[in-house]
Amino acid sequence: MDETTLDRLDLFIGGRWVAPRHGGSTDVIEAATEKVLGRAASASTADIDAAVVAARTALHGPWADYTAEQRADVLDRFAAALKVRAKSTAALVSRENGMPITLSISVNGYGPAAMFSYYAGLIRAAASEDVRPSMFGGRTVVRREPIGVVAAVTPWNYPQPLSAMKIAPALAAGCTVVHKPAPETALDAYILAEAALEAGLPEGVLNIVPGDREAGAHLIAHPGVDKVAFTGSTAAGRAIGEVCGRLLRPVTLELGGKSAAIVAEDADLDVFAAALLEVSLPNNGQTCHASTRILAPRSRYDEVVDAVTETVRALRIGDPLDRETAIGPLVSAAQRERVLGYIAAGDRAGFRRTTGGSIPATPSAGWFVEPTVFADVDNTSRIAQEEIFGPVLTITPYDGDDHAVDLANDTEYGLAGTIWTTDEARGIALAARIESGTVGVNHYALDMAAPFGGVKASGLGRELGPEGLAPYQQPKSIYLGTR
């Protein structure tokens, strides 16, 4: 690939490629080489203003007259355009953030296309209004109208699917979107603009404006925005929630996590170990729903520690574009220093480090950290309570199911979790006791047709499934008198 072709120095506003008002750009660094991969345009507040104006204009333009069937046709064409680009998109994201290509192919490549197709099918099948008999005579027509202009702000760890989780249902509902992707993965965001053009999306319905925190804050508080959809850290989510609360602006917040994996006494450890990479260390641990706190029954504690340690020690570290790689580099030097800081905190606390904990000797370049396991970890410690967002697992013993549930729930977060048992009914019963928006029994994977989101400090609202469409719709009741 000719790296000069990766420079994307224009913004996508009003259906056109537009130079930033102040000519700003940001270097996107390749995680595995630490070299500049390309430059991306960086939006100023003036560019954000222009994008919001374009979105508001489009909201009342031809897009407002599209039927649900016509919007669905656009979404299907959008999906087809993304699918054609799936392999190249996946490779680009892996270069940007270090995600192993075997994961990136599914989540950044084909996953977003499937999401657009899913919402196309959903709006074809759903009525835009229904008529209900009134308790007092007459009838009420309940309409579901687009909420308006949506500010979609996304992070760098799963840039394509997290963008699609907002853009696809918003477009399905008839909204228009101003999307601010993270600077670290700004290059792949342009693929969404290319797909929008190929799909024939009317001008201004989708606007792509990469930018820094100042640009994001300006967008979130912009008077021309009707709803905010954000994925990112809990700290940033709290600040965004405060702004939206003051403005009485609807907001969806998908935030951090510190999920527990409860290994029951009857668990099949071979099954658990085989799924460990996907469930506890996906994307090099840079995953909000990862089960990074492993809770092991005291009666089988040594077995669990050995199984986890041996599995993690055997994971292959290397080039994220190599299909044999299990653990790639972290997204940035700052992220690597953050993770190493937590490993040092675990060492200072005296916990038993059973594997990993250092920067590997090879590869010589890239922001790599060895996948690390700490055993005998106090559940109240920093490494058990704070989201590390890297390849670090902790193991804590428990005595009985009640103790395991108490430990799992002893966190400010509530996004995900897993239960490992050969008795599915027992697993479901334990899952019901976990204070979390999602739980997996003997595995974990997001279901596109089911709601995803957290409780407590893990966020507000839900994405995916029919529940992911509702936040972009505004119900309106039209009361009709008796005839």
Side-chain angles (χ1 to χ4, degrees), residues 22-110:
H22 302 295
S25 67
T26 301
D27 288 342
V28 178
I29 310 299
E30 185 166 7
T33 66
E34 304 179 46
K35 296 180 179 178
V36 175
L37 181 60
R39 292 182 300 152
S42 185
S44 66
T45 55
D47 297 312
I48 297 295
D49 291 341
V52 174
V53 167
R56 289 219 72 82
T57 302
L59 185 67
H60 303 292
W63 188 238
D65 296 325
Y66 275 45
T67 65
E69 184 69 28
Q70 289 172 318
R71 293 198 304 274
D73 289 344
V74 172
L75 291 178
D76 279 336
R77 294 195 296 269
F78 208 125
L82 290 175
K83 192 173 182 180
V84 167
R85 296 165 170 79
K87 291 183 179 178
S88 59
T89 300
L92 176 56
V93 175
S94 290
R95 297 180 73 184
E96 288 174 311
N97 71 4
M99 181 184 292
I101 190 65
T102 50
L103 176 61
S104 194
I105 282 286
S106 60
V107 300
N108 291 300
Y110 292 102

Side-chain angles (χ1 to χ4, degrees), residues 87 90 100-106 110 277 316 318-327:
K87 291 183 179 178
I101 190 65
T102 50
L103 176 61
S104 194
I105 282 286
S106 60
Y110 292 102
L277 175 63
R316 179 171 173 175
D319 182 353
L321 297 180
D322 184 339
R323 288 184 171 271
E324 299 300 315
T325 292
I327 300 291

